Amino acid sequence: EARGFAVWQIDAPLVLDASSARAIDVTLDRGVTVRWRVVDADTHRPIEGAVVLSETDSPSQIVPFSSDADWMKPWLALARTGPDGRFELSALSRRSHVLRATRAGFGASWSKRLELADGALANEVEIALAPGGTVFGRVARSDGSPRAGAVVIASFMANDTAHACMSYGIALTDADGAFSIADLAPGMYVVLHAPDAGAEPIDPLVIQVRVERGRSTEVELPGRQRGTRLSGRVLAADGTPLADADIMVQALSARGADDWRAERTHAQGDIQFPGLESATYQVIVGRGLGQNFVWAGNVEVPDALEHWIEMRLDGGVIAGHVRDAASRAGVARAVLIIVIEREREWQFAGRGFTDASGRFEFPHLRPGNYRVHAYATAGRYGPERTADLWVGTSEGPRDVEIALAPGAALKIQVRDTAGTPLARVQLALQSSDGEVVQHTQDDVTDAHGELAIPGIRPGRWTVRVETRGFAPAAVPIELTTGEERALEISLTPLSEPK
C-alpha cells in the first residue's frame, strides 16, 4: 500500500518451500476512483457518517461490522460519507470489487459487483442501508450460573463467492452473562463464544441462526439447553482418536439449513452436544470451521438425559487436483462438492476447497458411489464433474484429476413486471442434455436480484425460475467461449392478468 496508489497484491497464493527464493517486482498503479452515495433504503435520504469499504482491497480478510476501530482508520480502501451521503474511494485496484457500507442504526449492505479491470470510472454506485437485526441471549456455565466476560461473535455467512471478507459483530457478556449484537445485516450467521483473556477455558459452541430485518433473535448457548446431552468419542478408521476435528450434527427433520450445531473434538476425540431433541441426526466431519467437511453417517438420539456413542469413521478417500485444462496449472481455491448415490438419488455428501497447488482431499468416506463437482472461484472456467467413483472398504485412495476449460460469464437479473429486483430467488440452470448444473454455492439471487456466474460451459442452457407468488419462467440462452452475457428475467405475479 502507498497513499495515492492502488493496493497491489499477488493474484494467486504464493507457494514457497524451505529452500526457495522468489523475486517479486511490484508496479504500483494510480488505480480507479469510485464515488457516489449511501442512502436510507426506506426514505432514500442520504446517510452521513457511513463507512464504505472495498472488500477486495481490504488489508484484512476478517472485518468487523463496526468500522470505527482506530486500527482500521489508516486503510486506503475505506471512506466515510459526508452530509450529502456521498463518498469517494480513490485509487482502487483494477479488479472486481464489492463495496460494503455500515452505519450505526442500520444493517450492513453491499454494492453490486464493480468490474474495474478496464479502468472505467464507476461513478454511480449507490448503496441503500436498511434497519438490521439483533442477536441476543445469555452465556452460562454447565451449572447454569452466568458466564461474565465471554466474547460472543456473530459471523455473517455470505451465500456467494463475491465477498472477499468475513464480516462479523462482537459483544462481551455482562455480569448476568447477557449479550446483544445489534445492526446485523439480514442473512445467515454463525454465532460462537469464547472466554475473555484470563477466564476459565471453555469449548466454543457454534450455532447457525438466521437474522431478519428489524427483528431480535435469541441464541441459546451453553447452560441454557434442555434435552439430551449427546457425548461420545470420534475415532479415525484405524481406531486412533480424531482430535481437533469439527463435528456438526443436524436433525434429518430439520426445518431449515440453519438448524444445525457444531463442536470440536478434544485430544482423545471426545465430543459433547448438550440440549439435543430426540431425533435422527446426520453427522458431518470437517476441518477449518466448516470449510472442508464430509457426511459421516447418522446417529439416533433418544429422549434421555444422557446418551453416549463411539463413532468410528470410515477410511475411504477421494483426492486429486483441479487444473487448468490448457496449462495444467493447479487452480487454487476452487470449490469442490461431493455427492453420494443413495436410494437411487445423488445426495449432498460434503464440500471442500483446493489449496494453493489445486489439490483437494475428502477423507472419512463411507463405502458408496460418488461424484465430485468442481467450481472455480476466480477466472472464467466452466464447472466440471468426475465420472462415478466407487469407494469401497479395502481400496486405497481414489486419485482424480479435474480439468477446467474456459467458459462464458453470465449475469442474471430477476425482476417483477414493475421492475423491482427480486432477492433470494432460486434459479436452476439446465444444460442441453437435461442435466441441472449448480454454478454457485446455492444459485439464488442476491439483495439486488442478481446472480453472477463467473464461469459456465459454452453451449445451450435453459434458466428456470420458480418462486412463491409468481408464475414460473424458463428462458433459453446459448453461450460461446469467452462471452460475457447479461440476462434479464421478468416474473409475472400470479394475481396479475396475463
Side-chain angles (χ1 to χ4, degrees):
E1 293 188 1
R3 193 159 297 279
F5 294 89
V7 172
W8 181 94
Q9 55 186 299
I10 294 177
D11 288 324
L14 187 63
V15 181
L16 299 172
D17 57 42
S19 60
S20 66
R22 294 287 298 272
I24 300 175
D25 292 325
V26 179
T27 302
L28 297 182
D29 179 79
R30 292 291 180 181
V32 183
T33 297
V34 171
R35 60 173 67 90
W36 198 229
R37 61 178 183 168
V38 177
V39 299
D40 186 308
D42 296 327
T43 66
H44 211 67
R45 293 175 179 173
I47 295 177
E48 181 181 5
V51 174
V52 182
L53 168 73
S54 166
E55 292 193 345
T56 303
D57 284 354
S58 167
S60 174
Q61 291 182 309
I62 304 174
V63 183
F65 280 125
S66 173
S67 303
D68 293 328
D70 290 339
W71 55 274
M72 295 177 63
K73 291 178 180 178
W75 290 7
L76 300 185
L78 185 148
R80 192 177 297 271
T81 59
D84 56 359
R86 295 180 182 273
F87 67 88
E88 178 178 295
L89 287 168
S90 59
L92 290 184
S93 61
R94 299 173 188 270
R95 296 169 177 264
S96 174
H97 290 257
V98 171
L99 308 184
R100 191 198 75 178
T102 55
R103 176 71 161 84
F106 296 89
S109 184
W110 288 264
S111 72
K112 299 179 181 180
R113 186 191 295 266
L114 308 176
E115 300 295 344
L116 304 182
D118 60 359
L121 179 66
N123 59 359
E124 293 189 0
V125 180
E126 184 172 277
I127 306 175
L129 298 184
T134 299
V135 168
F136 74 98
R138 283 183 170 83
V139 179
R141 297 181 174 85
S142 57
D143 61 3
S145 61
R147 188 187 298 277
V151 179
V152 182
I153 297 172
S155 176
F156 181 70
M157 298 179 64
N159 61 8
D160 54 44
T161 58
H163 296 272
C165 294
M166 182 185 78
S167 298
Y168 68 93
I170 188 170
L172 285 177
T173 57
D174 62 16
D176 294 325
F179 70 90
S180 178
I181 306 175
D183 298 339
L184 297 177
M188 299 303 303
Y189 285 79
V190 168
V191 179
L192 58 90
H193 78 100
D196 195 7
E200 62 177 296
I202 60 175
D203 297 321
L205 175 69
V206 180
I207 298 177
Q208 189 173 0
V209 299
R210 179 179 295 279
V211 173
E212 298 182 11
R213 169 180 166 162
R215 298 185 62 180
S216 296
T217 303
E218 185 173 11
V219 176
E220 294 187 353
L221 291 171
R224 300 271 292 169
Q225 289 85 2
R226 298 175 179 87
T228 302
R229 181 185 297 273
L230 177 65
S231 304
R233 180 172 298 157
V234 183
L235 306 176
D238 60 3
T240 58
L242 190 68
D244 297 323
D246 296 319
I247 309 297
M248 292 165 277
V249 295
Q250 183 183 45
L252 296 183
S253 58
R255 293 176 293 274
D258 57 331
D259 212 354
W260 59 265
R261 297 265 297 279
E263 287 276 11
R264 180 164 292 179
T265 58
H266 297 176
Q268 296 303 312
D270 297 328
I271 196 73
Q272 186 177 102
F273 288 93
L276 294 182
E277 296 180 359
S278 176
T280 301
Y281 289 80
Q282 60 177 336
V283 180
I284 307 295
V285 180
R287 301 282 182 180
L289 284 177
Q291 290 292 301
N292 299 273
F293 60 86
V294 296
W295 171 74
N298 297 335
V299 61
E300 295 283 345
V301 176
D303 185 8
L305 292 177
E306 301 276 349
H307 183 63
W308 194 91
I309 61 169
E310 182 173 274
M311 173 171 269
R312 186 160 179 163
L313 303 178
D314 291 278
V317 178
I318 295 178
H321 286 83
V322 177
R323 301 188 186 278
D324 183 299
S327 68
R328 306 302 299 167
V331 178
R333 200 60 185 169
V335 178
L336 286 307
I337 303 294
I338 186 170
V339 294
I340 185 173
E341 190 175 22
R342 287 190 289 172
E343 300 176 356
R344 298 183 180 181
E345 292 183 353
W346 290 100
Q347 300 182 22
F348 178 79
R351 185 191 72 184
F353 291 87
T354 58
D355 63 15
S357 66
R359 181 165 178 78
F360 67 90
E361 180 178 277
F362 290 106
H364 313 307
L365 296 180
R366 298 168 64 88
N369 193 30
Y370 292 86
R371 291 176 179 172
V372 179
H373 299 253
Y375 307 87
T377 56
R380 191 168 299 159
Y381 297 98
E384 297 291 345
R385 70 166 174 84
T386 66
D388 292 6
L389 301 168
W390 175 258
V391 174
T393 56
S394 58
E395 296 93 340
R398 294 297 306 268
D399 195 66
V400 298
E401 295 273 331
I402 304 176
L404 300 185
L410 177 63
K411 181 180 289 186
I412 303 172
Q413 172 79 63
V414 181
R415 304 176 185 269
D416 63 16
T417 51
T420 304
L422 298 177
R424 302 299 301 171
V425 172
Q426 183 74 52
L427 304 179
L429 286 92
Q430 187 176 44
S431 64
S432 58
D433 58 5
E435 181 184 13
V436 175
V437 181
Q438 186 172 329
H439 288 81
T440 65
Q441 182 170 313
D442 51 13
D443 281 359
V444 300
T445 58
D446 60 15
H448 307 284
E450 293 184 354
L451 173 66
I453 300 174
I456 180 172
R457 288 197 302 265
R460 294 180 179 178
W461 294 85
T462 300
V463 182
R464 301 188 180 276
V465 189
E466 291 189 22
T467 189
R468 181 178 298 178
F470 293 87
V475 181
I477 187 172
E478 186 165 357
L479 302 168
T480 58
T481 301
E483 182 181 11
E484 295 185 14
R485 181 79 70 87
L487 177 65
E488 294 188 1
I489 300 177
S490 178
L491 298 185
T492 303
L494 291 177
S495 59
E496 181 176 309
K498 296 184 179 179

